[in-house]
């Protein structure tokens, strides 16, 4: 098992390994003796596979576990679900020393993390990430939140987890499409900051690859470095948004039918159209069966970017890659995006 430290104000570890889920209670307990009650949050695809294993391990360590299972999918990532979680926490008299455990992909980790961030002005959250995307990105770094109909992740808070568990064995149950979505974020890390990772990815990584622990751990290390330098997303962390400015618009305009990882793949390819790395990026996206084209028009894109939560004043900062492993940030007016397409 690999242990990666995220050295922020409330530092924590990310565990990456195999067979970790069945001992999740033990890993949580080893750093937390105060918690008595746990709200275990999961969704309808993940719960039938893994909820009982997680619950048994938590109860074995003496935790009193309450469950909250919501309908899987981005359409559930809203304030109504958060209200329901808060009411369960309050109704079961959770206190400041109790905790939320998220068991799922990015929707679950973002939403459970947000409920934890605002209940009693903040209780602990433990993230057990079950998708590749959540393991390499969503569960690490403390971004939590929900969508509004006006846009993705428009309501949220920075709330670092107390521990993140990435059990790569859980990735075996992902569909090829959901695994590929996570690979879009892995490819992002390679292009923005790690040429060696790019070389490694040229040999197709699959759910059964023996080096999956190394790949996930490398991405977590890269993310930890960025989050340590810029926890609150005012500078370096914005490089992690490579492909996301356009991706979020594509995702929302599709009514969330185009999943996040696919939208990010398209977003990276579109913003890189005039870059030297464009061909190499498209080749890699093809290798992982990821899309790299979208019929969105420049005007639709600009309209969508106008409501991006990362807009500051009238401007938006975009992440650009002109050389593999190096990312630059550029602050532009939304209309200037046309120049990149
Ligand atoms: N997902 C990008 C970030 O955590 O900053």
């Amino acid at each position: 098992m690999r242990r990666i430290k995220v050295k922020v104000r409330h530092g924590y570890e990310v565990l990456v390994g195999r067979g970790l889920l069945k001992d999740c209670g033990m890993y949580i307990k080893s750093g937390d003796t105060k918690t008595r009650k746990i709200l275990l949050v999961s969704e309808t695809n993940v719960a039938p596979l893994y909820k009982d294993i997680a619950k048994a391990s938590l109860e074995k360590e003496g935790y009193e576990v309450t469950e909250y299972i919501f309908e899987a999918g981005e359409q559930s990532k809203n304030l109504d679900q958060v209200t329901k979680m808060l009411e369960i926490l309050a109704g079961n008299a959770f206190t400041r020393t109790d905790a939320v455990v998220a068991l799922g992909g990015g929707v679950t980790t973002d939403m459970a993390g947000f409920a934890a961030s605002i209940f009693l002005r903040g209780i602990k959250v433990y993230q057990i990430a079950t998708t590749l995307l959540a393991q390499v990105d969503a569960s690490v770094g403390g971004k939590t939140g929900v969508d509004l109909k006006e846009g993705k992740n428009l309501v949220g808070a920075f709330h670092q987890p107390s521990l993140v568990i990435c059990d790569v064995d859980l990735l075996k149950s992902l569909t090829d499409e959901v695994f590929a979505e996570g690979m879009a974020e892995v490819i992002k890390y390679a292009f923005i900051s790690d040429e060696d990772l790019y070389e490694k990815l040229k040999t197709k990584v699959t759910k059964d690859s023996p080096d999956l622990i190394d790949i996930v751990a490398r991405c977590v290390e890269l993310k930890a470095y960025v989050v340590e330098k810029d926890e609150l997303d005012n500078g370096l962390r914005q490089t992690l948004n490579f492909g996301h400015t356009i991706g979020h618009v594509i995702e929302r305009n599709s009514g969330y039918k185009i999943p996040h990882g696919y939208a990010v793949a398209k977003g990276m390819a579109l913003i890189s159209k005039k870059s030297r790395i464009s061909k190499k990026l498209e080749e890699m996206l093809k290798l992982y069966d990821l899309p790299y084209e979208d019929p969105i028009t420049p005007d639709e894109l600009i309209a969508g970017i106008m409501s991006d939560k990362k807009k500051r004043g009238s401007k938006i900062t975009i992440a650009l890659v002109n050389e593999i492993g190096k990312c630059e940030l550029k602050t532009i007016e939304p209309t200037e995006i046309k120049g990149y397409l």
Side-chain angles (χ1 to χ4, degrees):
M1 179 177 69
R2 303 273 295 274
R3 284 178 184 268
I4 298 144
K5 286 193 168 49
V6 185
K7 298 184 212 102
V8 285
R9 195 160 51 98
H10 297 289
Y12 55 97
E13 283 188 333
V14 182
L15 310 182
V16 184
R18 294 188 183 274
L20 306 185
L21 180 68
K22 62 177 186 349
D23 295 321
C24 65
M26 179 186 81
Y27 294 120
I28 290 172
K29 187 88 180 197
S30 67
D32 175 0
T33 48
K34 288 198 184 130
T35 296
R36 283 193 316 114
K37 295 181 185 182
I38 279 177
L39 178 65
L40 179 59
V41 178
S42 195
E43 40 91 319
T44 48
N45 289 337
V46 170
L49 299 173
Y50 302 128
K51 189 251 301 162
D52 288 347
I53 302 171
K55 191 173 178 190
S57 173
L58 293 166
E59 287 181 336
K60 192 169 149 218
E61 300 299 329
Y63 294 116
E64 191 186 307
V65 181
T66 305
E67 295 171 15
Y68 181 70
I69 313 295
F70 64 90
E71 185 69 37
E74 186 78 28
Q75 72 286 348
S76 289
K77 197 175 156 186
N78 57 47
L79 286 168
D80 290 345
Q81 295 292 339
V82 174
T83 303
K84 285 180 190 155
M85 281 185 242
L86 296 174
E87 285 170 355
I88 293 175
L89 290 166
N92 287 281
F94 274 59
T95 70
R96 282 215 166 138
T97 50
D98 293 324
V100 172
V101 172
L103 173 69
V107 171
T108 311
T109 58
D110 278 14
M111 198 156 63
F114 183 52
S117 80
I118 54 176
F119 183 67
L120 303 179
R121 298 202 178 86
I123 64 172
K124 291 180 291 278
V125 63
Y126 293 98
Q127 304 284 16
I128 306 177
T130 62
T131 63
L132 181 59
L133 195 145
Q135 294 191 353
V136 298
D137 184 30
S139 66
V140 180
K143 278 192 183 173
T144 72
V146 292
D147 305 334
L148 295 181
K149 68 177 178 357
E150 286 80 3
K152 204 174 148 69
N153 297 333
L154 287 185
V155 178
F158 287 97
H159 186 59
Q160 298 292 345
S162 297
L163 177 74
V164 181
I165 297 176
C166 301
D167 181 344
V168 299
D169 280 345
L170 309 187
L171 305 181
K172 287 192 190 122
S173 63
L174 300 180
T175 62
D176 290 342
E177 288 73 20
V178 174
F179 184 80
E181 269 200 80
M183 284 309 303
E185 295 285 356
V186 175
I187 292 168
K188 176 193 81 177
Y189 285 113
F191 274 81
I192 64 169
S193 58
D194 191 346
E195 198 178 354
D196 290 346
L197 180 59
Y198 166 75
E199 291 299 331
K200 211 169 185 174
L201 298 181
K202 282 184 178 165
T203 308
K204 191 169 179 177
V205 176
T206 68
K207 288 184 273 188
D208 303 310
S209 293
D211 50 0
L212 216 43
I213 292 180
D214 285 345
I215 301 270
V216 172
R218 182 65 190 140
C219 293
V220 171
E221 278 168 2
L222 292 166
K223 178 145 190 186
Y225 174 82
V226 167
V227 169
E228 283 162 13
K229 293 266 176 297
D230 177 25
E231 185 176 353
L232 300 182
D233 206 12
N234 290 314
L236 184 66
R237 188 163 181 170
Q238 293 173 55
T239 59
L240 299 178
N241 291 330
F242 178 47
H244 285 60
T245 303
I246 295 180
H248 281 166
V249 179
I250 291 175
E251 194 180 355
R252 195 191 60 186
N253 284 12
S254 77
Y256 299 106
K257 285 197 182 71
I258 298 175
H260 181 69
Y262 281 27
V264 167
K266 290 170 177 233
M268 290 191 292
L270 288 175
I271 198 68
S272 305
K273 275 264 174 257
K274 293 187 175 160
S275 155
R276 288 196 294 276
I277 56 99
S278 176
K279 199 158 170 293
K280 286 185 171 162
L281 176 62
E282 283 190 14
E283 274 164 12
M284 187 150 280
L285 295 172
K286 258 188 235 170
L287 175 66
Y288 286 93
D289 301 313
L290 285 161
Y292 53 91
E293 277 169 347
D294 192 86
I296 192 159
T297 64
D299 288 340
E300 285 168 340
L301 200 50
I302 291 163
I305 291 173
M306 294 285 191
S307 71
D308 193 304
K309 71 172 184 312
K310 291 182 284 298
K311 197 145 106 348
R312 292 172 195 224
S314 68
K315 299 203 171 179
I316 184 98
T317 300
I318 53 168
L320 300 166
V321 177
N322 278 303
E323 194 182 326
I324 294 173
K326 294 201 169 67
C327 183
E328 47 185 292
L329 296 171
K330 203 153 189 193
T331 301
I332 59 167
E333 294 289 340
T335 48
E336 290 180 69
I337 200 94
K338 281 186 182 175
Y340 295 88
L341 305 173

